[in-house]
């Protein structure tokens, strides 16, 4: 399942998200651009969506995902023929 998470409440006082805190540390170290890649939080979320395989399979666009806010990955139709548990290549 893929889903968008939203903050429950606005930050209280001077509180910040984990991402904002790490950005502040990276900025003080002169590494902000390297850490963020010049992307905003929403751009990183979209990057994760793009890398999920959902859009490349034509299952859902980013715009549809933002509107619906979740996507349930379909079950493999051949799931019963798959071996149970983790498999090892050795």
């Amino acid at each position: 399942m893929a889903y968008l998470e939203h903050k429950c409440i606005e930050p209280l006082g001077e509180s910040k998200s984990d991402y904002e805190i790490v950005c502040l540390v990276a900025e003080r170290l002169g590494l902000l651009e390297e850490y963020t890649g010049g992307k905003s939080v929403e751009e990183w979320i979209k990057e994760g969506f793009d890398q999920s395989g959902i859009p490349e399979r034509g299952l859902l666009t980013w715009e549809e995902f933002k509107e619906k806010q979740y996507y349930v990955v379909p079950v493999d139709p051949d799931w019963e023929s798959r071996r149970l548990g983790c498999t090892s290549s050795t």
Side-chain angles (χ1 to χ4, degrees):
M1 174 176 264
Y3 58 92
L4 285 175
E5 291 183 343
H6 298 283
K7 58 185 166 188
C8 296
I9 62 171
E10 289 301 317
L12 302 175
E14 295 181 22
S15 61
K16 299 186 180 333
S17 70
D18 291 347
Y19 184 77
E20 290 170 314
I21 293 167
V22 175
C23 283
L24 290 171
V25 172
E27 184 175 38
R28 291 187 110 183
L29 295 172
L31 300 170
L32 182 61
E33 181 64 30
E34 288 86 344
Y35 176 69
T36 65
K39 295 181 183 180
S40 68
V41 172
E42 184 170 347
E43 289 169 324
W44 276 117
I45 294 170
K46 183 178 182 308
E47 176 79 17
F49 174 78
D50 290 343
Q51 297 299 317
S52 72
I54 294 170
E56 71 187 26
R57 292 183 178 100
L59 302 172
L60 201 67
T61 67
W62 172 245
E63 290 73 25
E64 292 167 331
F65 183 63
K66 283 190 349 182
E67 184 178 320
K68 190 172 182 181
Q69 298 187 17
Y70 72 94
Y71 179 73
V72 178
V73 179
V75 175
D76 181 347
D78 296 324
W79 69 271
E80 290 184 47
S81 66
R82 305 273 182 217
R83 210 169 139 194
L84 298 178
C86 298
T87 58
S88 173
S89 60
T90 58

